Amino acid sequence: MSVPVVVLDPSLRDPHAELWFVEPPGFVPLPLDALLPEPGSMAADSLRTAAVPFLNAAPDEEARRQFITVFAAGQQLLAALRDAGTVHCSLGVHRDDIGELGPECGAANVLVSVFTVSWRDVAVAPRGVTAARAVTGGGGHSGVEFAELPCGPATFSETTVAPTPGSGLPQRPLLQVHAHLPHPDCRRLAVLSLTTTAPVRRQEYRALLRLIAESVGFEDPRQEGEERREGSGRRDVCPVTSPWVGTPP
């Protein structure tokens, strides 16, 4: 029998973190701060240094230009996410162990997704009211589900969007599955979203997002673990093979 292991991500110790969660295997975090550095900063110098091996490995100048163009387009997408309040972004790649998806969903037996965590300021209200407002104030939400999670009230929903021309994304419908988690201060809303080009796997993606949302905590899980051992009755760290990740407000 294998023993589950908790892998602690360095962000767990971020003194500015205000939300923690368990990220399942198959997701690779994209370092927003490292990929979107301030011009002239040490981080910008580090990014240029990291890109040099890729540019030198290009067979010719045209290939180098293509790499720079694609990288710049990726930065634009990440910048748009950060401007919208996104504080965490991960790329998910999983094997489809159910069946063939068809050419409209990309490579056979491969599921690609993007997981994000975003903060939104909201009007002060009871947390259950905020959770309900998140899916009833427009936005085309469907498949709405209300839930009481360890971190408090939440709503789950789905939306379908089409990438804008020139965005660099495949021009086919994107399924977005959302979890709306009001913060205990009643002034903020954490939105967890999974976006994929495989809408036929909506039930599987809803289950995956539900798993992540159930692990969310608004207090440092290391402190919760200490209180648990002292007999406070609060929940301990979830024992799964995934990193605990902390996100800033």
Side-chain angles (χ1 to χ4, degrees), residues 67-154:
F67 171 81
I68 294 173
T69 299
V70 172
F71 186 79
Q75 284 185 307
Q76 291 178 346
L77 291 173
L78 293 177
L81 288 175
R82 191 170 67 176
D83 291 344
T86 298
V87 293
H88 178 84
C89 181
S90 292
L91 177 65
V93 180
H94 298 86
R95 183 181 65 187
D96 178 30
D97 55 4
I98 298 178
E100 294 290 338
L101 292 170
E104 69 278 3
C105 295
N109 297 319
V110 176
L111 296 168
V112 179
S113 61
V114 174
F115 171 63
T116 60
V117 179
S118 304
W119 286 103
R120 297 180 188 170
D121 293 330
V122 296
V124 177
R127 298 171 71 189
V129 173
T130 297
R133 286 175 176 172
V135 295
T136 57
H141 294 276
S142 62
V144 174
E145 174 189 359
F146 295 85
E148 189 68 33
L149 304 182
C151 67

Side-chain angles (χ1 to χ4, degrees), residues 218-239:
F218 293 110
E219 296 183 21
D220 190 331
R222 295 173 300 170
Q223 296 177 3
E224 289 187 354
E226 289 296 330
E227 294 179 10
R228 175 71 173 180
R229 285 190 288 273
E230 293 172 3
S232 69
R234 298 177 63 174
R235 68 182 179 88
D236 207 340
V237 172
C238 182

Side-chain angles (χ1 to χ4, degrees), residues 46-56 67 71:
S46 298
L47 181 60
R48 282 193 294 270
T49 300
V52 167
F54 294 96
L55 295 174
N56 290 341
F67 171 81
F71 186 79

Side-chain angles (χ1 to χ4, degrees), residues 160-209:
T160 301
V161 298
T164 57
S167 66
L169 297 174
Q171 295 301 299
R172 50 179 176 265
L174 300 175
L175 170 68
Q176 293 184 313
V177 186
H178 311 281
H180 312 269
L181 314 177
H183 190 276
D185 67 8
C186 300
R187 297 176 181 273
R188 291 171 290 171
L189 176 71
V191 182
L192 283 60
S193 298
L194 265 175
T195 304
T196 179
T197 57
V200 295
R201 295 290 176 259
R202 59 181 2 98
Q203 293 304 321
E204 288 73 27
Y205 275 110
R206 282 187 73 110
L208 181 57
L209 186 63

